[in-house]
Amino acid sequence: MNIRTWLLVTYLLVMVLPLGALYALYVSVHHYYEDQSMAEYFDKWSHVSNMKSVLADATLYTERIISDEVKALSNDQTMVTLYLPTGKVLYSSNPTMASFEDQQTVYENLYEFQQNYSHFMYKEPVYAEGKVIGIYKVIVARTEWTEQVGHEMKLVLTGLVLFIVVLYGCFILFLRKRLHEPLQRLMQHMQAFAKGETVEAQTTTNDEIGKLAASFYDMQREIEQNRAQIEQ
């Protein structure tokens, strides 16, 4: 294989392999996260379902007395908000929550267990005598998920960087062995022959550098034969 061909092949490998490695990592991580996300989805939904019996109590919205049982549902991972039908906030475990929210926003996405990167959210209306007397909203943070995603992404990026470093290191070693070292050796032989030193012919490859070296050794042999004839 000539130098041009294997240089082109090497260049394509150096360009394609990192992309292939990145795609393979993306696919594997994506499938892993889908499996994890599904398990987390059912776990969080079960958690929210267990809260429904407490939050659907009509007396919370009619008498407007927030029991300790409701407050106990909230923690650093779970936020509970109770609304009146007008959008007024009756209770929120988030102290920074505004006292009133747009009614249209409050009524959006009812009965939907929404999932995004940072949390799950669920809203459901509470009825009494066929009328909506309140709405409760539960937000469950995905702290473990986000931390795990960040950790896995660091591992993926580290692995990709190491792969690229190793790949380019192999590429440099390959160029050194196939291009730099043969040229250096040929130049040393030429310089030694120019000084009148004896140079032993080396085994040559079938590429351009090998053919150049073979031509030099042939030329050296002819010159030595001519010198011998002249001396005779």
Side-chain angles (χ1 to χ4, degrees):
M1 183 183 296
N2 57 44
I3 294 177
R4 180 181 178 182
T5 301
W6 59 256
L7 276 178
L8 181 60
V9 171
T10 305
Y11 174 76
L12 290 175
L13 289 176
V14 169
M15 294 297 293
V16 171
L17 286 179
L19 295 177
L22 181 61
Y23 178 75
L25 286 172
Y26 169 78
V27 171
S28 61
V29 170
H30 181 69
H31 285 309
Y32 171 77
Y33 285 152
E34 279 189 342
D35 294 338
Q36 292 295 106
S37 179
M38 185 62 66
E40 185 192 26
Y41 180 91
F42 287 112
D43 179 65
K44 300 301 184 184
W45 174 245
S46 176
H47 174 63
V48 172
S49 298
N50 293 333
M51 301 169 63
K52 286 186 175 184
S53 60
V54 177
L55 299 177
D57 185 2
T59 58
L60 293 173
Y61 309 91
T62 55
E63 299 179 8
R64 303 185 183 184
I65 299 176
I66 308 302
S67 64
D68 293 336
E69 191 177 8
V70 173
K71 296 178 181 178
L73 296 176
S74 305
N75 52 46
D76 57 347
Q77 299 294 315
T78 306
M79 185 182 77
V80 175
T81 305
L82 307 181
Y83 298 95
L84 294 177
T86 58
K88 182 180 178 180
V89 177
L90 181 61
Y91 166 78
S92 178
S93 58
N94 181 7
T96 62
M97 185 77 178
S99 60
F100 189 87
E101 193 169 333
D102 181 64
Q103 189 177 23
Q104 182 178 356
T105 304
V106 173
Y107 279 83
E108 285 180 348
N109 305 314
L110 296 176
Y111 300 104
E112 294 182 11
F113 192 50
Q114 295 182 303
Q115 171 185 344
N116 59 32
Y117 180 78
S118 61
H119 64 266
F120 290 92
M121 184 176 71
Y122 180 76
K123 290 191 294 186
E124 183 173 324
V126 178
Y127 293 89
E129 298 179 357
K131 295 181 180 180
V132 176
I133 59 172
I135 298 171
Y136 64 84
K137 178 174 71 175
V138 179
I139 294 179
V140 183
R142 306 180 70 187
T143 305
E144 294 182 1
W145 165 265
T146 53
E147 291 178 352
Q148 185 179 11
V149 169
H151 178 69
E152 293 294 332
M153 288 304 298
K154 288 180 181 178
L155 291 179
V156 168
L157 292 176
T158 301
L160 182 62
V161 170
L162 289 176
F163 176 79
I164 293 175
V165 169
V166 171
L167 179 64
Y168 276 86
C170 294
F171 176 65
I172 292 173
L173 291 176
F174 179 75
L175 286 180
R176 181 179 179 84
K177 188 170 183 64
R178 290 298 301 269
L179 187 62
H180 179 72
E181 291 182 358
L183 285 175
Q184 285 289 105
R185 184 167 55 249
L186 180 58
M187 291 174 62
Q188 291 173 358
H189 288 181
M190 288 181 174
Q191 292 172 355
F193 181 70
K195 294 178 182 179
E197 300 176 4
T198 302
V199 177
E200 295 184 2
Q202 302 289 324
T203 302
T204 60
T205 57
N206 197 32
D207 55 20
E208 287 85 344
I209 296 177
K211 293 178 181 177
L212 178 61
S215 299
F216 166 72
Y217 295 135
D218 290 341
M219 179 190 69
Q220 173 187 314
R221 184 170 57 255
E222 291 179 3
I223 291 176
E224 290 176 346
Q225 291 176 353
N226 291 335
R227 284 177 180 176
Q229 292 177 359
I230 290 173
E231 289 177 358
Q232 291 178 359

Short mmCIF file of all heavy atoms in Angstrom, two decimals, residues 118-172:
data_model
loop_
_atom_site.label_atom_id
_atom_site.label_comp_id
_atom_site.label_asym_id
_atom_site.label_seq_id
_atom_site.Cartn_x
_atom_site.Cartn_y
_atom_site.Cartn_z
N SER A 118 -35.97 18.00 35.79
CA SER A 118 -35.70 18.24 37.21
C SER A 118 -36.77 17.71 38.16
O SER A 118 -36.49 17.53 39.35
CB SER A 118 -35.52 19.74 37.46
OG SER A 118 -36.71 20.44 37.11
N HIS A 119 -38.01 17.47 37.68
CA HIS A 119 -39.07 17.06 38.61
C HIS A 119 -40.25 16.42 37.88
O HIS A 119 -40.37 16.51 36.66
CB HIS A 119 -39.56 18.27 39.42
CG HIS A 119 -40.21 19.33 38.58
ND1 HIS A 119 -39.53 20.41 38.08
CD2 HIS A 119 -41.51 19.46 38.14
CE1 HIS A 119 -40.35 21.16 37.38
NE2 HIS A 119 -41.55 20.61 37.39
N PHE A 120 -41.13 15.81 38.69
CA PHE A 120 -42.43 15.33 38.24
C PHE A 120 -43.49 16.26 38.83
O PHE A 120 -43.31 16.77 39.94
CB PHE A 120 -42.70 13.90 38.72
CG PHE A 120 -41.85 12.86 38.05
CD1 PHE A 120 -40.65 12.46 38.61
CD2 PHE A 120 -42.26 12.26 36.87
CE1 PHE A 120 -39.87 11.49 38.02
CE2 PHE A 120 -41.49 11.30 36.25
CZ PHE A 120 -40.29 10.91 36.83
N MET A 121 -44.59 16.44 38.09
CA MET A 121 -45.66 17.29 38.60
C MET A 121 -47.01 16.66 38.29
O MET A 121 -47.22 16.12 37.20
CB MET A 121 -45.60 18.69 37.97
CG MET A 121 -46.64 19.67 38.53
SD MET A 121 -46.47 21.35 37.85
CE MET A 121 -47.05 21.06 36.17
N TYR A 122 -47.92 16.76 39.28
CA TYR A 122 -49.27 16.22 39.10
C TYR A 122 -50.27 17.18 39.73
O TYR A 122 -50.06 17.68 40.84
CB TYR A 122 -49.39 14.84 39.76
CG TYR A 122 -50.75 14.22 39.60
CD1 TYR A 122 -51.15 13.66 38.40
CD2 TYR A 122 -51.65 14.22 40.66
CE1 TYR A 122 -52.41 13.10 38.24
CE2 TYR A 122 -52.91 13.65 40.52
CZ TYR A 122 -53.28 13.10 39.31
OH TYR A 122 -54.53 12.55 39.16
N LYS A 123 -51.38 17.43 38.99
CA LYS A 123 -52.46 18.29 39.49
C LYS A 123 -53.79 17.57 39.31
O LYS A 123 -54.02 16.92 38.28
CB LYS A 123 -52.48 19.62 38.72
CG LYS A 123 -51.29 20.52 39.03
CD LYS A 123 -51.47 21.92 38.48
CE LYS A 123 -51.50 21.95 36.98
NZ LYS A 123 -51.53 23.34 36.45
N GLU A 124 -54.64 17.74 40.32
CA GLU A 124 -55.96 17.11 40.25
C GLU A 124 -56.98 17.98 41.00
O GLU A 124 -56.67 18.48 42.09
CB GLU A 124 -55.91 15.72 40.86
CG GLU A 124 -57.23 14.96 40.75
CD GLU A 124 -57.12 13.52 41.22
OE1 GLU A 124 -56.05 12.90 40.99
OE2 GLU A 124 -58.09 13.02 41.83
N PRO A 125 -58.18 18.16 40.43
CA PRO A 125 -59.21 18.94 41.12
C PRO A 125 -59.92 18.10 42.19
O PRO A 125 -59.97 16.88 42.12
CB PRO A 125 -60.16 19.32 39.99
CG PRO A 125 -60.02 18.21 38.99
CD PRO A 125 -58.58 17.77 39.07
N VAL A 126 -60.48 18.79 43.15
CA VAL A 126 -61.25 18.14 44.21
C VAL A 126 -62.70 18.61 44.09
O VAL A 126 -62.96 19.82 43.97
CB VAL A 126 -60.68 18.50 45.60
CG1 VAL A 126 -61.51 17.86 46.70
CG2 VAL A 126 -59.22 18.06 45.70
N TYR A 127 -63.63 17.67 44.11
CA TYR A 127 -65.05 17.97 43.90
C TYR A 127 -65.84 17.79 45.19
O TYR A 127 -65.52 16.96 46.04
CB TYR A 127 -65.64 17.07 42.82
CG TYR A 127 -65.09 17.31 41.44
CD1 TYR A 127 -63.96 16.62 41.00
CD2 TYR A 127 -65.70 18.20 40.56
CE1 TYR A 127 -63.45 16.83 39.73
CE2 TYR A 127 -65.20 18.42 39.30
CZ TYR A 127 -64.08 17.74 38.88
OH TYR A 127 -63.57 17.94 37.63
N ALA A 128 -66.91 18.58 45.29
CA ALA A 128 -67.91 18.41 46.36
C ALA A 128 -69.25 18.83 45.79
O ALA A 128 -69.40 19.95 45.27
CB ALA A 128 -67.56 19.27 47.58
N GLU A 129 -70.19 17.91 45.82
CA GLU A 129 -71.53 18.14 45.27
C GLU A 129 -71.46 18.54 43.79
O GLU A 129 -72.19 19.40 43.32
CB GLU A 129 -72.26 19.23 46.06
CG GLU A 129 -72.49 18.86 47.52
CD GLU A 129 -73.19 19.95 48.30
OE1 GLU A 129 -73.45 21.02 47.69
OE2 GLU A 129 -73.48 19.75 49.49
N GLY A 130 -70.57 17.91 43.08
CA GLY A 130 -70.47 18.12 41.64
C GLY A 130 -69.74 19.39 41.23
O GLY A 130 -69.69 19.70 40.03
N LYS A 131 -69.19 20.11 42.16
CA LYS A 131 -68.48 21.35 41.84
C LYS A 131 -67.01 21.25 42.28
O LYS A 131 -66.70 20.58 43.27
CB LYS A 131 -69.13 22.54 42.53
CG LYS A 131 -70.55 22.83 42.06
CD LYS A 131 -71.11 24.05 42.78
CE LYS A 131 -72.53 24.36 42.32
NZ LYS A 131 -73.09 25.56 43.03
N VAL A 132 -66.17 21.96 41.54
CA VAL A 132 -64.75 22.01 41.91
C VAL A 132 -64.59 22.95 43.10
O VAL A 132 -64.96 24.12 43.03
CB VAL A 132 -63.87 22.51 40.74
CG1 VAL A 132 -62.41 22.64 41.17
CG2 VAL A 132 -63.98 21.56 39.55
N ILE A 133 -64.07 22.43 44.18
CA ILE A 133 -63.88 23.27 45.37
C ILE A 133 -62.39 23.57 45.62
O ILE A 133 -62.04 24.38 46.48
CB ILE A 133 -64.46 22.60 46.63
CG1 ILE A 133 -63.79 21.24 46.86
CG2 ILE A 133 -65.96 22.45 46.50
CD1 ILE A 133 -64.18 20.59 48.18
N GLY A 134 -61.54 22.92 44.86
CA GLY A 134 -60.11 23.15 45.03
C GLY A 134 -59.29 22.29 44.09
O GLY A 134 -59.81 21.39 43.42
N ILE A 135 -58.02 22.60 44.03
CA ILE A 135 -57.07 21.85 43.19
C ILE A 135 -55.78 21.67 43.99
O ILE A 135 -55.32 22.61 44.65
CB ILE A 135 -56.76 22.60 41.88
CG1 ILE A 135 -58.04 22.77 41.05
CG2 ILE A 135 -55.70 21.86 41.07
CD1 ILE A 135 -57.86 23.68 39.86
N TYR A 136 -55.23 20.49 43.94
CA TYR A 136 -53.94 20.29 44.59
C TYR A 136 -52.87 19.97 43.54
O TYR A 136 -53.15 19.36 42.50
CB TYR A 136 -54.00 19.21 45.67
CG TYR A 136 -54.32 17.82 45.19
CD1 TYR A 136 -53.34 16.98 44.68
CD2 TYR A 136 -55.62 17.32 45.29
CE1 TYR A 136 -53.63 15.70 44.28
CE2 TYR A 136 -55.94 16.04 44.88
CZ TYR A 136 -54.93 15.22 44.37
OH TYR A 136 -55.23 13.95 43.96
N LYS A 137 -51.67 20.42 43.84
CA LYS A 137 -50.53 20.18 42.95
C LYS A 137 -49.39 19.61 43.76
O LYS A 137 -49.05 20.11 44.84
CB LYS A 137 -50.08 21.48 42.28
CG LYS A 137 -48.86 21.32 41.37
CD LYS A 137 -48.53 22.59 40.61
CE LYS A 137 -47.98 23.66 41.53
NZ LYS A 137 -47.56 24.87 40.78
N VAL A 138 -48.79 18.55 43.22
CA VAL A 138 -47.66 17.90 43.88
C VAL A 138 -46.47 17.92 42.93
O VAL A 138 -46.59 17.52 41.76
CB VAL A 138 -47.99 16.45 44.27
CG1 VAL A 138 -46.78 15.79 44.94
CG2 VAL A 138 -49.19 16.39 45.20
N ILE A 139 -45.35 18.41 43.41
CA ILE A 139 -44.10 18.42 42.64
C ILE A 139 -43.08 17.57 43.39
O ILE A 139 -42.81 17.81 44.56
CB ILE A 139 -43.57 19.84 42.44
CG1 ILE A 139 -44.53 20.64 41.57
CG2 ILE A 139 -42.18 19.81 41.81
CD1 ILE A 139 -44.11 22.09 41.35
N VAL A 140 -42.54 16.56 42.71
CA VAL A 140 -41.54 15.67 43.28
C VAL A 140 -40.22 15.88 42.54
O VAL A 140 -40.15 15.69 41.32
CB VAL A 140 -41.97 14.20 43.19
CG1 VAL A 140 -40.94 13.30 43.88
CG2 VAL A 140 -43.35 14.00 43.80
N ALA A 141 -39.21 16.31 43.26
CA ALA A 141 -37.91 16.59 42.65
C ALA A 141 -37.21 15.32 42.21
O ALA A 141 -37.41 14.24 42.78
CB ALA A 141 -37.03 17.36 43.63
N ARG A 142 -36.38 15.45 41.18
CA ARG A 142 -35.60 14.31 40.68
C ARG A 142 -34.12 14.53 41.02
O ARG A 142 -33.25 14.50 40.15
CB ARG A 142 -35.79 14.17 39.18
CG ARG A 142 -37.23 14.07 38.73
CD ARG A 142 -37.34 13.95 37.23
NE ARG A 142 -36.88 12.64 36.77
CZ ARG A 142 -36.73 12.32 35.49
NH1 ARG A 142 -37.01 13.20 34.55
NH2 ARG A 142 -36.30 11.12 35.14
N THR A 143 -33.85 14.74 42.28
CA THR A 143 -32.48 15.05 42.72
C THR A 143 -31.52 13.93 42.40
O THR A 143 -30.43 14.15 41.84
CB THR A 143 -32.47 15.35 44.23
OG1 THR A 143 -33.41 16.39 44.52
CG2 THR A 143 -31.08 15.80 44.66
N GLU A 144 -31.90 12.71 42.76
CA GLU A 144 -31.02 11.57 42.50
C GLU A 144 -30.78 11.39 41.01
O GLU A 144 -29.68 11.08 40.57
CB GLU A 144 -31.63 10.29 43.09
CG GLU A 144 -31.72 10.30 44.61
CD GLU A 144 -32.29 9.00 45.14
OE1 GLU A 144 -32.59 8.11 44.31
OE2 GLU A 144 -32.44 8.88 46.36
N TRP A 145 -31.85 11.61 40.23
CA TRP A 145 -31.74 11.47 38.78
C TRP A 145 -30.76 12.47 38.20
O TRP A 145 -29.87 12.11 37.43
CB TRP A 145 -33.12 11.65 38.16
CG TRP A 145 -33.12 11.88 36.69
CD1 TRP A 145 -33.14 13.08 36.05
CD2 TRP A 145 -33.06 10.89 35.66
NE1 TRP A 145 -33.12 12.91 34.69
CE2 TRP A 145 -33.07 11.58 34.43
CE3 TRP A 145 -33.02 9.50 35.66
CZ2 TRP A 145 -33.03 10.90 33.21
CZ3 TRP A 145 -32.98 8.84 34.45
CH2 TRP A 145 -32.99 9.54 33.26
N THR A 146 -30.90 13.75 38.56
CA THR A 146 -30.03 14.78 38.00
C THR A 146 -28.58 14.57 38.43
O THR A 146 -27.66 14.78 37.63
CB THR A 146 -30.50 16.18 38.43
OG1 THR A 146 -30.64 16.21 39.87
CG2 THR A 146 -31.85 16.51 37.83
N GLU A 147 -28.39 14.14 39.69
CA GLU A 147 -27.02 13.87 40.14
C GLU A 147 -26.42 12.69 39.38
O GLU A 147 -25.25 12.71 39.00
CB GLU A 147 -27.02 13.58 41.64
CG GLU A 147 -27.33 14.81 42.49
CD GLU A 147 -27.38 14.48 43.97
OE1 GLU A 147 -27.32 13.27 44.31
OE2 GLU A 147 -27.47 15.42 44.79
N GLN A 148 -27.24 11.68 39.17
CA GLN A 148 -26.76 10.50 38.45
C GLN A 148 -26.44 10.83 36.99
O GLN A 148 -25.44 10.38 36.45
CB GLN A 148 -27.81 9.38 38.51
CG GLN A 148 -27.35 8.07 37.89
CD GLN A 148 -28.41 7.00 38.00
OE1 GLN A 148 -29.55 7.27 38.35
NE2 GLN A 148 -28.04 5.77 37.72
N VAL A 149 -27.31 11.63 36.38
CA VAL A 149 -27.07 12.04 35.00
C VAL A 149 -25.76 12.82 34.89
O VAL A 149 -24.94 12.60 33.99
CB VAL A 149 -28.24 12.89 34.47
CG1 VAL A 149 -27.88 13.54 33.15
CG2 VAL A 149 -29.48 12.02 34.30
N GLY A 150 -25.56 13.76 35.82
CA GLY A 150 -24.32 14.53 35.81
C GLY A 150 -23.10 13.65 35.98
O GLY A 150 -22.09 13.82 35.28
N HIS A 151 -23.20 12.67 36.89
CA HIS A 151 -22.08 11.75 37.11
C HIS A 151 -21.80 10.91 35.88
O HIS A 151 -20.64 10.74 35.46
CB HIS A 151 -22.40 10.86 38.31
CG HIS A 151 -21.34 9.84 38.61
ND1 HIS A 151 -20.10 10.17 39.09
CD2 HIS A 151 -21.36 8.48 38.48
CE1 HIS A 151 -19.38 9.07 39.25
NE2 HIS A 151 -20.12 8.03 38.88
N GLU A 152 -22.86 10.36 35.27
CA GLU A 152 -22.69 9.51 34.10
C GLU A 152 -22.13 10.31 32.91
O GLU A 152 -21.30 9.81 32.15
CB GLU A 152 -24.02 8.87 33.71
CG GLU A 152 -24.55 7.87 34.71
CD GLU A 152 -23.67 6.64 34.82
OE1 GLU A 152 -23.01 6.30 33.83
OE2 GLU A 152 -23.64 6.03 35.90
N MET A 153 -22.57 11.55 32.76
CA MET A 153 -22.08 12.37 31.67
C MET A 153 -20.59 12.66 31.84
O MET A 153 -19.83 12.68 30.87
CB MET A 153 -22.86 13.68 31.59
CG MET A 153 -24.27 13.53 31.07
SD MET A 153 -24.35 12.74 29.44
CE MET A 153 -23.44 13.92 28.45
N LYS A 154 -20.15 12.87 33.08
CA LYS A 154 -18.72 13.08 33.32
C LYS A 154 -17.93 11.83 32.94
O LYS A 154 -16.86 11.93 32.33
CB LYS A 154 -18.49 13.42 34.79
CG LYS A 154 -18.96 14.81 35.19
CD LYS A 154 -18.70 15.07 36.67
CE LYS A 154 -19.20 16.46 37.06
NZ LYS A 154 -19.00 16.72 38.51
N LEU A 155 -18.47 10.65 33.29
CA LEU A 155 -17.79 9.41 32.93
C LEU A 155 -17.72 9.22 31.42
O LEU A 155 -16.70 8.81 30.87
CB LEU A 155 -18.51 8.22 33.58
CG LEU A 155 -18.42 8.09 35.10
CD1 LEU A 155 -19.21 6.88 35.57
CD2 LEU A 155 -16.97 7.98 35.55
N VAL A 156 -18.84 9.55 30.75
CA VAL A 156 -18.88 9.41 29.29
C VAL A 156 -17.88 10.34 28.63
O VAL A 156 -17.12 9.94 27.74
CB VAL A 156 -20.31 9.68 28.76
CG1 VAL A 156 -20.29 9.82 27.24
CG2 VAL A 156 -21.24 8.56 29.17
N LEU A 157 -17.86 11.61 29.06
CA LEU A 157 -16.93 12.57 28.48
C LEU A 157 -15.49 12.18 28.76
O LEU A 157 -14.62 12.31 27.88
CB LEU A 157 -17.23 13.97 29.02
CG LEU A 157 -18.56 14.59 28.57
CD1 LEU A 157 -18.77 15.93 29.26
CD2 LEU A 157 -18.58 14.77 27.06
N THR A 158 -15.23 11.70 29.98
CA THR A 158 -13.87 11.27 30.31
C THR A 158 -13.45 10.09 29.44
O THR A 158 -12.33 10.05 28.92
CB THR A 158 -13.79 10.86 31.79
OG1 THR A 158 -14.17 11.99 32.61
CG2 THR A 158 -12.38 10.43 32.16
N GLY A 159 -14.37 9.12 29.28
CA GLY A 159 -14.06 7.97 28.43
C GLY A 159 -13.83 8.37 26.98
O GLY A 159 -12.92 7.85 26.32
N LEU A 160 -14.63 9.33 26.49
CA LEU A 160 -14.46 9.78 25.12
C LEU A 160 -13.12 10.49 24.93
O LEU A 160 -12.42 10.28 23.93
CB LEU A 160 -15.61 10.71 24.74
CG LEU A 160 -15.61 11.25 23.30
CD1 LEU A 160 -15.71 10.09 22.31
CD2 LEU A 160 -16.76 12.23 23.09
N VAL A 161 -12.76 11.34 25.89
CA VAL A 161 -11.47 12.05 25.81
C VAL A 161 -10.32 11.05 25.83
O VAL A 161 -9.36 11.16 25.04
CB VAL A 161 -11.35 13.06 26.97
CG1 VAL A 161 -9.92 13.62 27.04
CG2 VAL A 161 -12.33 14.20 26.78
N LEU A 162 -10.39 10.06 26.72
CA LEU A 162 -9.33 9.05 26.78
C LEU A 162 -9.25 8.26 25.48
O LEU A 162 -8.15 7.96 25.00
CB LEU A 162 -9.59 8.10 27.96
CG LEU A 162 -9.37 8.68 29.36
CD1 LEU A 162 -9.75 7.66 30.42
CD2 LEU A 162 -7.93 9.12 29.55
N PHE A 163 -10.41 7.94 24.92
CA PHE A 163 -10.43 7.21 23.65
C PHE A 163 -9.75 8.02 22.54
O PHE A 163 -8.95 7.48 21.76
CB PHE A 163 -11.87 6.88 23.26
CG PHE A 163 -12.01 6.21 21.93
CD1 PHE A 163 -11.76 4.85 21.79
CD2 PHE A 163 -12.38 6.94 20.80
CE1 PHE A 163 -11.89 4.23 20.55
CE2 PHE A 163 -12.50 6.33 19.57
CZ PHE A 163 -12.25 4.98 19.45
N ILE A 164 -10.07 9.31 22.48
CA ILE A 164 -9.48 10.16 21.44
C ILE A 164 -7.98 10.30 21.65
O ILE A 164 -7.19 10.26 20.69
CB ILE A 164 -10.17 11.54 21.44
CG1 ILE A 164 -11.63 11.40 20.99
CG2 ILE A 164 -9.43 12.53 20.55
CD1 ILE A 164 -12.42 12.68 21.06
N VAL A 165 -7.55 10.45 22.92
CA VAL A 165 -6.11 10.57 23.21
C VAL A 165 -5.38 9.30 22.79
O VAL A 165 -4.32 9.36 22.15
CB VAL A 165 -5.90 10.85 24.71
CG1 VAL A 165 -4.43 10.71 25.07
CG2 VAL A 165 -6.38 12.25 25.06
N VAL A 166 -5.94 8.14 23.14
CA VAL A 166 -5.31 6.86 22.77
C VAL A 166 -5.29 6.70 21.25
O VAL A 166 -4.29 6.26 20.66
CB VAL A 166 -6.05 5.69 23.43
CG1 VAL A 166 -5.55 4.35 22.88
CG2 VAL A 166 -5.87 5.73 24.94
N LEU A 167 -6.40 7.08 20.61
CA LEU A 167 -6.49 6.95 19.15
C LEU A 167 -5.44 7.80 18.46
O LEU A 167 -4.72 7.34 17.56
CB LEU A 167 -7.89 7.34 18.68
CG LEU A 167 -8.13 7.28 17.16
CD1 LEU A 167 -7.99 5.85 16.66
CD2 LEU A 167 -9.51 7.84 16.82
N TYR A 168 -5.33 9.06 18.87
CA TYR A 168 -4.35 9.94 18.24
C TYR A 168 -2.93 9.54 18.61
O TYR A 168 -2.00 9.72 17.81
CB TYR A 168 -4.62 11.40 18.64
CG TYR A 168 -5.67 12.05 17.79
CD1 TYR A 168 -7.02 11.94 18.11
CD2 TYR A 168 -5.33 12.76 16.65
CE1 TYR A 168 -8.00 12.53 17.32
CE2 TYR A 168 -6.31 13.36 15.86
CZ TYR A 168 -7.64 13.23 16.20
OH TYR A 168 -8.60 13.82 15.41
N GLY A 169 -2.74 8.97 19.82
CA GLY A 169 -1.41 8.47 20.18
C GLY A 169 -1.00 7.32 19.27
O GLY A 169 0.14 7.26 18.81
N CYS A 170 -1.95 6.41 19.00
CA CYS A 170 -1.66 5.30 18.07
C CYS A 170 -1.39 5.82 16.67
O CYS A 170 -0.51 5.30 15.96
CB CYS A 170 -2.84 4.33 18.06
SG CYS A 170 -3.10 3.44 19.62
N PHE A 171 -2.13 6.85 16.27
CA PHE A 171 -1.93 7.43 14.95
C PHE A 171 -0.54 8.04 14.82
O PHE A 171 0.16 7.86 13.81
CB PHE A 171 -3.00 8.50 14.70
CG PHE A 171 -2.84 9.25 13.41
CD1 PHE A 171 -2.97 8.61 12.20
CD2 PHE A 171 -2.54 10.60 13.42
CE1 PHE A 171 -2.82 9.31 11.00
CE2 PHE A 171 -2.38 11.31 12.24
CZ PHE A 171 -2.52 10.66 11.03
N ILE A 172 -0.09 8.74 15.88
CA ILE A 172 1.24 9.35 15.86
C ILE A 172 2.32 8.29 15.83
O ILE A 172 3.31 8.39 15.09
CB ILE A 172 1.41 10.28 17.08
CG1 ILE A 172 0.48 11.49 16.95
CG2 ILE A 172 2.86 10.73 17.22
CD1 ILE A 172 0.45 12.37 18.17
#
